[in-house]
Amino acid sequence: MTDARPHMLYVAWGYPPCRGGGVYRALATANRFAEQGWRVTVLTADRETFHRFTGADLTLEERIHPDVEVVRVPFEWPILEADLRRWSRSRAKNPKLWAKMRTKRDQIPFPETGYGPWRSTIEKAAERIHKANKVDLTVATANPHVAFTAAYHLHEKFKVQYVMDYRDAWLLDVFSGDRLHEPKSRAARWERKLVQSAREVWFVNDPILEWHQKLYPEHAAKMHTVANGFDPDLVPDTQDRGPVADKPLVFGYVGTVSPKVPLADFVKGWQLAKEQSEDLRDAKAKIHGYLGYYAQPRADMLAIIEAAADDGVSYEGPVGKAEIARAYDEFDVQLLMLGKGRYVTSGKVFEYLATGLPIVSVHDPVNAASDVLRGHPLWFPVKDLEPESIAEALVEAARSARTADEGIRAKAREFGAGYRRDLQLDPRIEALGALVGAVA
């Protein structure tokens, strides 16, 4: 019997069991298309890539929709290969020269160090998938941006429409606001070509969208903000939680602590706040997640946390997405620590919104996350990243944890309810369904 459902190919380097931040958006997007009646094939890297290099979260694989077919293809990442037995003779003899030559070689097929050679692999795989089961639409998500090439390949060869889904940006440094690649660079020429041929281009917040609309005014109409959101089945149950009266407060952070996160600034502010407030005297600050981008914690970050152990700061290690509710259930206040940048939102903010718990924003006030949180009844932003300002926000949040009743918490959850992930995705999926129906 012929399956009449439209077929969507989803191209994502980071997909379960990858544990990187963008994996949640990838997982949810593919699942939501499947829930909305699409046949979905995911094209991604092999599992060994994540086990060996980024760290793996096996609980995420259990959350893949049963109707989603996952096609895994090889990915080589020799620059991160730590096993000397896998090194070539030339690399072992002169590692620096080898690394320099490898970087140049990576960018020959596509201008992206480390990922460029994956282009031929995913283009061939996408073509095989299309020939075996006609693809009606491709959605490719970055980064890495090489994922877009598979979508472009199917469009050029078979006229398959495609969507570019950015988690951040390619030419824009979302932290500094600077341009990363010159207008005549290969990266800029590639992006211009990709945007021109795309049916839609998605961004995670309005500031990034507006930057690109100014860059490509002739394509502004095809650009959309598809914000991250929270997954209702993974949000902890805080419905019955009231004021915390008879125990030490627990402040918690969940997520990757990147080098951009003001971890040291937070610790200084935390130590000062504990001196100022009786509510914080025995409080704890628990950091869950990865310290840095890879499986091994960064030594400098770990040292910052361990030096503050006597002040109640602790590193709790990674937490699986499926077990994340247990971590949140322990929190009385959430810590939102982000790198500085007008274009920075973070997917974590939406999960925080769903709980109804107080949120302390330890990030520059100009961050795009502030636009999302503005109006939240239990939001405590810092004025700046000086220890005194951080301490002030922590003290106010601690006081709210002791006094905020269920009514205020319900208003906080109501504020966050509009950021459910399916509500962000469904308008675009509906529009693309109409497109496929018109051209199929």
Side-chain angles (χ1 to χ4, degrees):
M1 184 176 178
T2 303
D3 192 336
R5 295 177 299 168
H7 183 202
M8 189 270 281
L9 173 63
Y10 189 73
V11 186
W13 179 84
Y15 192 73
C18 177
R19 62 90 187 162
V23 73
Y24 307 126
R25 182 178 178 95
L27 173 63
T29 302
N31 281 356
R32 191 59 183 167
F33 270 89
E35 291 164 0
Q36 293 291 77
W38 293 64
R39 287 178 292 152
V40 178
T41 302
V42 173
L43 175 58
T44 186
D46 54 22
R47 299 175 81 255
E48 184 184 12
T49 296
F50 311 121
H51 283 286
R52 296 190 64 230
F53 299 117
T54 68
D57 182 350
L58 300 182
T59 66
L60 284 179
E61 284 190 293
E62 300 169 5
R63 312 197 73 83
I64 297 174
H65 193 283
D67 289 344
V68 172
E69 179 184 359
V70 182
V71 176
R72 301 187 184 275
V73 295
F75 176 81
E76 296 182 1
W77 213 347
I79 200 70
L80 294 183
E81 181 55 70
D83 187 346
L84 299 182
R85 294 170 298 181
R86 299 190 182 206
W87 283 25
S88 65
R89 185 184 298 271
S90 60
R91 181 179 187 180
K93 186 176 181 179
N94 195 331
K96 290 185 178 179
L97 178 61
W98 178 91
K100 183 178 180 180
M101 297 303 295
R102 179 70 203 196
T103 297
K104 291 182 178 180
R105 177 183 165 190
D106 280 355
Q107 298 191 49
I108 292 174
F110 186 78
E112 196 166 27
T113 301
Y115 302 100
W118 205 44
R119 176 187 171 187
S120 62
T121 301
I122 58 174
E123 285 182 352
K124 291 174 183 176
E127 187 167 336
R128 288 195 301 270
I129 291 168
H130 178 74
K131 288 181 177 179
N133 190 347
K134 178 179 172 291
V135 173
D136 299 299
L137 175 76
T138 308
V139 179
T141 187
N143 53 17
H145 305 93
V146 70
F148 294 143
T149 65
Y152 184 75
H153 178 73
L154 290 189
H155 176 73
E156 288 295 289
K157 194 165 184 178
F158 304 104
K159 306 303 180 186
V160 179
Q161 303 266 22
Y162 67 90
V163 174
M164 300 170 66
D165 179 21
Y166 283 95
R167 288 193 292 107
D168 290 311
W170 190 0
L171 305 186
L172 168 69
D173 185 326
V174 297
F175 293 102
S176 69
D178 295 334
R179 183 168 178 141
L180 291 172
H181 303 280
E182 294 302 316
K184 293 184 180 180
S185 66
R186 286 183 65 211
R189 296 200 306 270
W190 255 107
E191 183 178 75
R192 194 177 306 118
K193 177 171 62 175
L194 289 165
V195 169
Q196 181 178 358
S197 297
R199 179 70 188 194
E200 293 190 355
V201 186
W202 298 353
F203 301 98
V204 296
N205 61 44
D206 290 340
I208 298 178
L209 169 78
E210 292 161 4
W211 190 90
H212 286 84
Q213 286 180 326
K214 290 178 182 178
L215 185 63
Y216 305 110
E218 68 277 23
H219 300 299
K222 69 173 69 171
M223 297 180 180
H224 304 274
T225 295
V226 180
N228 286 312
F230 66 86
D231 303 297
D233 57 331
L234 295 178
V235 173
D237 181 12
T238 58
Q239 292 294 117
D240 298 323
R241 185 175 298 189
V244 183
D246 56 356
K247 72 177 185 68
L249 294 175
V250 176
F251 286 64
Y253 173 91
V254 177
T256 298
V257 183
S258 77
K260 300 285 187 179
V261 168
L263 181 62
D265 297 317
F266 162 72
V267 168
K268 292 177 183 177
W270 173 263
Q271 291 168 327
L272 184 59
K274 287 178 75 71
E275 296 173 0
Q276 297 176 350
S277 171
E278 187 64 34
D279 288 328
L280 283 158
R281 196 74 63 201
D282 298 317
K284 300 181 184 301
K286 298 191 174 185
I287 311 298
H288 294 264
Y290 285 81
L291 300 182
Y293 296 115
Y294 305 108
Q296 186 68 25
R298 278 182 57 133
D300 56 342
M301 294 179 181
L302 191 58
I304 291 171
I305 294 173
E306 290 178 341
D310 290 343
D311 298 303
V313 183
S314 63
Y315 175 53
E316 305 296 319
V319 56
K321 189 71 170 178
E323 285 83 39
I324 205 167
R326 287 202 293 272
Y328 278 103
D329 282 341
E330 191 179 10
F331 297 166
D332 301 304
V333 179
Q334 300 167 116
L335 298 169
L336 183 65
M337 297 187 285
L338 302 173
K340 179 181 179 180
R342 173 72 186 98
Y343 304 96
V344 176
T345 300
S346 168
K348 189 56 57 182
V349 64
F350 302 102
E351 196 169 83
Y352 280 19
L353 280 171
T355 67
L357 296 173
I359 301 171
V360 179
S361 277
V362 186
H363 58 74
D364 191 286
V366 305
N367 281 43
S370 297
D371 298 333
V372 176
L373 288 161
R374 195 166 287 112
H376 187 282
L378 292 173
W379 179 43
F380 302 92
V382 300
K383 297 173 184 176
D384 52 49
L385 290 174
E386 293 300 317
E388 294 77 11
S389 297
I390 295 173
E392 181 181 347
L394 290 168
V395 170
E396 290 178 1
R399 188 177 302 117
S400 78
R402 298 290 192 194
T403 61
D405 60 23
E406 179 57 24
I408 295 176
R409 295 171 192 274
K411 289 180 180 178
R413 287 193 299 275
E414 182 180 354
F415 179 92
Y419 290 100
R420 223 175 56 213
R421 197 187 296 272
D422 59 318
L423 297 180
Q424 313 308 311
L425 288 168
D426 284 358
R428 302 308 339 135
I429 295 176
E430 182 179 350
L432 294 167
L435 165 71
V436 169
V439 301

